Amino acid sequence: MRRLLTALCLLLATAGCVTPEQQRAASASATTVPTTTLSATTSTTTPLTTTPVTTTNAAPTSTSPVPAPPPVWVVGATPLPLGPDGFGKILPTPAVLANRALPTADLLPPPAGGRYAATISAVPDAVARRSTWHAGCPVSLGQLRYLTMSFWGFDGKPHTGEMLVNASVAGNVTKVFETLFAHRFPLEEMRVTALSELDLPPTGDGNNTGSFVCRAVRTGTTWSAHASGLAIDINPFCNPYTKGKLVLPELASSYVDRSNRRPGMVFAGDPVVRAFSSIGWTWGGTWTSPVDRQHFSATGG
C-alpha cells in the first residue's frame, strides 16, 4: 500500500501530493508543509487539527510594493485638553518632536535649480478667501501683499512658501528671507493661515512661519501687529512664546531650554536676528515678559 501511495504521489506531483513520511521529513527540515496531529484523547472520532510550520527561507508569494511607513507625527491631529486660560494644557514635548525635523509638504512648486526666488503681488481673490482677512481687520485687503519665497526645509530640500504681509514692508521681507535662504536656515512650512484655524481646538504642535493673521494679541484684546501684516513668526515650535507657566505652542516645552541648540532655533546675534535688524525690525526674544522668541515686528510690539 505504501509503495502504491508513493507511486500515485509521483504521478500527482504537480498537485502537491505528499506522503506521511515526506510530511515528517519536511517538518524536520522546517518547510511550509502543514503537519497533522491528533488531539490528546483516545476517541477515534476526534477531529484533526492542522498546525502550520513556519519557514524562514520560503520564496515570496507576492511582488506587491511595500507600503510607505506612516508619518512620524501628524501635525494638528490631536487636540489638547483646555486649561482655565483657554489655551491647551502644557504637556511635555513628545520624544519625536524634541529634536524637531519634520519634512515639508510642497504646496507650491519648489524653486528652479534650488535658487532663491521671490514674487510680490496683490492678494489674489482665492488667497483672500482662504485667509483670515475680513472687513473688520485693521488693514484693507489692498494694504496687503501676497509673497512667494524660497526656503530650506528641515528635510534639506528647497521649497516655495507663501505669506501675506503689509505692502509697506513687502520688499524688505523678501530680502530677509533671501538672507535666511543663503544661510540655509531651516523652516518647516510657510503658508497663509486659514480662517478655520482660529476656531480649531489647540494641538500645541504647530510650526508655521507666517505673518498676517487677523487676531488680537495672545493675552489681550488689542490688535496684534500680525493683524496688520507687520510681524512675522519664525518656526514657532522651535522658538516658543513663554509667559509665566504658559508655553505656546503647548507641546514645545523642551525648546524653552535654549542651552540645547537645535536647527530652526533663533538666538541673539544669529543670521535671523541680524537680517530682521537690518530692516529695522525688533525681536521678541529680547522681551522680559512675555518672551516671544519666534516674533519679529516692524512696530516693536
Side-chain angles (χ1 to χ4, degrees):
M1 178 61 71
R2 180 173 300 168
R3 286 194 294 271
L4 177 60
L5 181 57
T6 302
L8 287 173
C9 286
L10 292 173
L11 292 172
L12 297 175
T14 56
C17 179
V18 181
T19 67
E21 288 81 359
Q22 289 171 322
Q23 284 182 327
R24 285 190 287 272
S27 297
S29 60
T31 69
T32 56
V33 180
T35 60
T36 303
T37 59
L38 286 173
S39 62
T41 176
T42 57
S43 172
T44 60
T45 60
T46 301
L48 298 176
T49 60
T50 301
T51 304
V53 178
T54 303
T55 180
T56 59
N57 59 356
T61 58
S62 173
T63 58
S64 300
V66 177
V72 295
W73 186 269
V74 179
V75 178
T78 307
L80 297 173
L82 291 180
D85 55 6
F87 295 107
K89 185 177 180 180
I90 311 303
L91 298 175
T93 302
V96 70
L97 299 181
N99 189 9
R100 186 162 178 154
L102 300 182
T104 296
D106 283 313
L107 302 178
L108 297 169
R115 296 184 297 272
Y116 180 80
T119 66
I120 303 173
S121 67
V123 182
D125 290 342
V127 175
R129 286 193 296 270
R130 62 181 170 85
S131 76
T132 60
W133 185 86
H134 57 81
C137 296
V139 291
S140 67
L141 202 57
Q143 291 175 284
L144 297 175
R145 293 292 181 269
Y146 177 66
L147 311 182
T148 66
M149 299 180 290
S150 307
F151 68 94
W152 288 99
F154 285 86
D155 51 16
K157 300 176 183 179
H159 302 276
T160 300
E162 59 171 10
M163 189 178 293
L164 293 178
V165 301
N166 195 287
S168 66
V169 300
N172 281 340
V173 167
T174 63
K175 293 177 182 177
V176 166
F177 281 89
E178 183 175 15
T179 299
L180 270 58
F181 189 85
H183 284 274
R184 288 182 173 250
F185 181 84
L187 303 173
E188 186 173 317
E189 62 175 338
M190 183 197 298
R191 59 174 178 76
V192 172
T193 300
L195 180 62
S196 60
E197 294 180 67
L198 300 185
D199 295 323
L200 291 175
T203 57
D205 56 357
N207 204 23
N208 179 46
T209 293
S211 176
F212 176 77
V213 184
C214 193
R215 63 167 176 82
V217 294
R218 294 189 186 275
T219 56
T221 57
T222 59
W223 286 115
S224 164
H226 286 284
S228 295
L230 293 171
I232 293 175
D233 287 344
I234 301 289
N235 286 338
F237 195 91
C238 304
N239 302 290
Y241 168 108
T242 54
K243 186 175 183 179
K245 295 183 179 180
L246 178 64
V247 179
L248 298 175
E250 292 92 338
L251 295 182
S253 297
S254 74
Y255 278 92
V256 176
D257 176 10
R258 308 308 278 181
S259 66
N260 182 9
R261 298 177 74 108
R262 286 153 282 179
M265 297 171 70
V266 176
F267 295 94
D270 73 3
V272 182
V273 174
R274 293 200 309 268
F276 278 103
S277 179
S278 72
I279 65 169
W281 288 36
T282 58
W283 178 41
T286 62
W287 302 350
T288 303
S289 182
V291 180
D292 203 348
R293 300 166 184 86
Q294 63 199 253
H295 186 80
F296 292 88
S297 171
T299 65

